[in-house]
Amino acid sequence: MSKTREAGKSTAAKSAYALAGLLAAAGLTHLAYPKPYDRIVPRVLPGPARWWTYGSGAAELAVAAAVAHPRTRRSAAAAAAGLLVAVFPANVQMARDWRGRGTTARNLAYARLPLQAPLVAWALQVRRSASRG
């Protein structure tokens, strides 16, 4: 294998591991510190907010593990993109709820909204970079 191709694979693997790390960190915080997440669960969802917080945390951990493994990386990265889209309504709920807070908090909540797009794009790039074998 050429050094250029090896470097490309190494970069792709590093990107996948970084994505897995981000998802794992998010999943762990959902499980260890659920209250802040409970508050941003859209109220239109049925059942207790804690169920959704724990469920999304568990999903993030499972997807993180699958993204980290080369054999499951391609499909897991697609699942990561879907998961990132699925949790977007919580960011919208946070932005709506924080409209009356101070400028810094409000701006933080609003800044989270466009951040989701590059995260989804990153997951899709990891998917494209993953081997098909």
Side-chain angles (χ1 to χ4, degrees):
M1 182 181 300
S2 72
K3 287 189 183 223
T4 304
R5 189 163 178 203
E6 277 184 37
K9 281 194 170 202
S10 175
T11 301
K14 286 179 185 176
S15 182
Y17 290 133
L19 177 62
L22 175 80
L23 290 166
L28 288 172
T29 62
H30 277 74
L31 300 177
Y33 307 103
K35 280 187 180 183
Y37 296 103
D38 291 347
R39 289 192 286 265
I40 65 171
V41 170
R43 289 176 275 291
V44 299
L45 293 175
R50 182 63 51 93
W51 186 90
W52 293 98
T53 298
Y54 283 160
S56 61
E60 286 165 337
L61 287 172
V63 170
V67 167
H69 195 286
R71 286 191 180 172
T72 55
R73 183 168 296 148
R74 186 172 170 76
S75 59
L83 181 59
L84 290 162
V85 170
V87 300
F88 183 72
N91 293 347
V92 173
Q93 185 69 57
M94 181 179 178
R96 292 190 69 197
D97 291 347
W98 289 24
R99 286 178 296 186
R101 291 195 178 191
T103 303
T104 302
R106 185 177 57 245
N107 288 343
L108 176 66
Y110 291 159
R112 286 186 66 174
L113 296 173
L115 180 61
Q116 213 73 9
L119 292 175
V120 170
W122 181 17
L124 293 174
Q125 179 58 46
V126 168
R127 181 183 186 280
R128 281 189 296 276
S129 299
S131 68
R132 294 177 190 230

